[in-house]
Amino acid sequence: MSTSTKSASPPGIQGPPEPDPPPPPSARVPWRRALRRDWQLYSLALLPLLFFLVFRYLPMLGNVIAFRRFQPGGSIFGEQWVGLRYIEMFLSDPTFWQVFRNTLWIGGLTLVFCFPIPIVLALLLNEVRRRSLKRFVQSVSYLPHFLSMVIVAGITMQMLATDGAVNHVLGWFGHDPIRFIQEPEWFRTIYVGSEIWQTAGWGTILYLAALTTIDEDLYEAARIDGANRWQQIWHVTLPGIRPTMITLLILNIGTFLAVGFEKVLLLYNALTYPTADVISTYVYRTGVESSSFSYAAAIGLFEAIIGLVLITSANQLSRRTVGTSLW
């Protein structure tokens, strides 16, 4: 007598109910319906999009005058096609290469000093347990960011003037006054120092926000394993904020050649041109003051291409080495 592997239910007794079939995947909402439904949210992006369209994308059409002869009062796209003439002009101009070297120096020093200092400051603030002291340090360090660039340059020049506070302090130690503003060898130090003072506090905001996302259980596990505070920072804190660090580093590399135009323009003078003149100020003097718009457009296009290559290369390198990238 054969036995069945599936026993039948006795008459009159219902078996367990069959599970409901999974619901069908929801259809994708058409973009027009989503726009009508959430038009208030999409309207918030209207002004930023218009800003980038008017001030970022439309001006790209003006790059054509780097290859055309432009005359004020004529066509905005130039009068005559000249090819690579203006590019060959600045590539063979020794003044441009001096300006290019100055840009590399100032941009490199700014990246080396201004990038890690907010990280260090954020780590130090994260270790402060007194909330009142932490808020006071944050407020004091954030304040310079909200000052106008003209005010920052004015404070810097007043502090470093021949009869300024710095020279008064040097006089107490028997040192002769130093003409900081007129000496070319001091300009890079002045620029980088003022940049650190102005941006270090504001740069800690993103890192402090990233520190709040680190799981406290990781610190507890590290303490159980016998890690001291420095080892916890090295093995837990820094890896936790590494994506933020890499993202900001890539963005800083992309703007490597775009050294602060306003601050350099306000701080430099004819005596400090050998070390202070950068590509942005050189383009300003060439295009606006000398009315060589096509020549200035060629230099600006060259700077933009270098920046695009730098940010793309840094993104690819970061993706292959640490697995974090912008895109």
Side-chain angles (χ1 to χ4, degrees):
M1 182 174 176
S2 62
T3 59
S4 176
T5 57
K6 179 185 291 186
S7 61
S9 301
I13 299 178
Q14 296 289 337
E18 294 290 334
D20 295 333
S26 58
R28 187 175 181 181
V29 180
W31 68 270
R32 293 182 179 178
R33 185 185 303 174
L35 183 62
R36 288 196 300 268
R37 184 184 61 191
D38 302 323
W39 65 270
Q40 296 94 338
L41 297 177
Y42 288 107
S43 64
L44 296 177
L46 184 60
L47 288 179
L49 290 177
L50 286 176
F51 172 82
F52 281 101
L53 177 64
V54 174
F55 295 102
R56 293 293 186 267
Y57 289 98
L58 287 181
M60 289 184 182
L61 299 175
N63 287 325
V64 71
I65 67 173
F67 310 100
R68 298 177 64 89
R69 188 191 307 276
F70 176 82
Q71 295 179 354
S75 173
I76 61 174
F77 297 112
E79 304 292 339
Q80 180 184 0
W81 184 267
V82 296
L84 301 177
R85 179 189 175 202
Y86 295 110
I87 297 177
E88 294 174 352
M89 284 176 59
F90 76 75
L91 289 178
S92 60
D93 185 3
T95 303
F96 168 77
W97 290 112
Q98 179 183 356
V99 169
F100 186 73
R101 286 192 297 271
N102 293 339
T103 307
L104 292 180
W105 267 106
I106 296 179
L109 292 173
T110 303
L111 183 64
V112 168
F113 289 99
C114 294
F115 176 73
I117 286 181
I119 302 175
V120 175
L121 183 58
L123 295 177
L124 294 176
L125 288 173
N126 191 52
E127 299 299 319
V128 177
R129 293 296 173 257
R130 291 183 58 184
R131 189 176 299 271
S132 59
L133 177 60
K134 186 175 181 178
R135 289 180 177 177
F136 173 76
V137 174
Q138 285 179 304
S139 301
V140 172
S141 60
Y142 293 170
L143 180 61
H145 174 79
F146 298 99
L147 297 179
S148 169
M149 193 65 68
V150 177
I151 296 177
V152 172
I155 293 174
T156 303
M157 296 179 71
Q158 289 295 326
M159 293 287 292
L160 299 175
T162 306
D163 56 348
V166 175
N167 275 312
H168 277 297
V169 174
L170 293 177
W172 295 344
F173 296 96
H175 199 288
D176 294 332
I178 300 176
R179 299 187 305 166
F180 292 102
I181 304 301
Q182 289 79 25
E183 298 292 340
E185 60 270 15
W186 280 102
F187 182 83
R188 294 166 183 168
T189 304
I190 294 171
Y191 178 87
V192 175
S194 64
E195 193 73 9
I196 292 173
W197 174 67
Q198 187 179 9
T199 62
W202 183 255
T204 61
I205 292 179
L206 292 177
Y207 295 113
L208 289 173
L211 288 171
T212 61
T213 63
I214 301 176
D215 192 355
E216 290 294 332
D217 293 339
L218 297 177
Y219 291 104
E220 183 65 26
R223 285 192 293 268
I224 293 174
D225 291 338
N228 57 31
R229 199 59 191 170
W230 289 106
Q231 291 171 334
Q232 292 176 38
I233 292 174
W234 182 260
H235 295 287
V236 179
T237 306
L238 290 179
I241 63 174
R242 185 175 64 181
T244 304
M245 294 167 55
I246 295 299
T247 300
L248 294 179
L249 179 61
I250 293 173
L251 294 176
N252 288 337
I253 291 176
T255 58
F256 181 76
L257 294 181
V259 180
F261 165 73
E262 296 90 353
K263 184 177 291 185
V264 175
L265 188 66
L266 292 169
L267 289 178
Y268 82 156
N269 52 70
L271 297 175
T272 57
Y273 279 174
T275 59
D277 201 13
V278 294
I279 291 179
S280 56
T281 55
Y282 183 66
V283 168
Y284 168 77
R285 291 203 321 276
T286 304
V288 177
E289 296 182 358
S290 301
S291 300
S292 300
F293 296 102
S294 295
Y295 185 68
I299 299 175
L301 182 61
F302 174 78
E303 178 188 1
I305 292 175
I306 296 250
L308 178 62
V309 172
L310 286 175
I311 194 172
T312 305
S313 303
N315 188 76
Q316 293 294 332
L317 182 62
S318 174
R319 179 188 299 176
R320 295 181 180 179
T321 54
V322 298
T324 302
S325 59
L326 287 177
W327 66 88

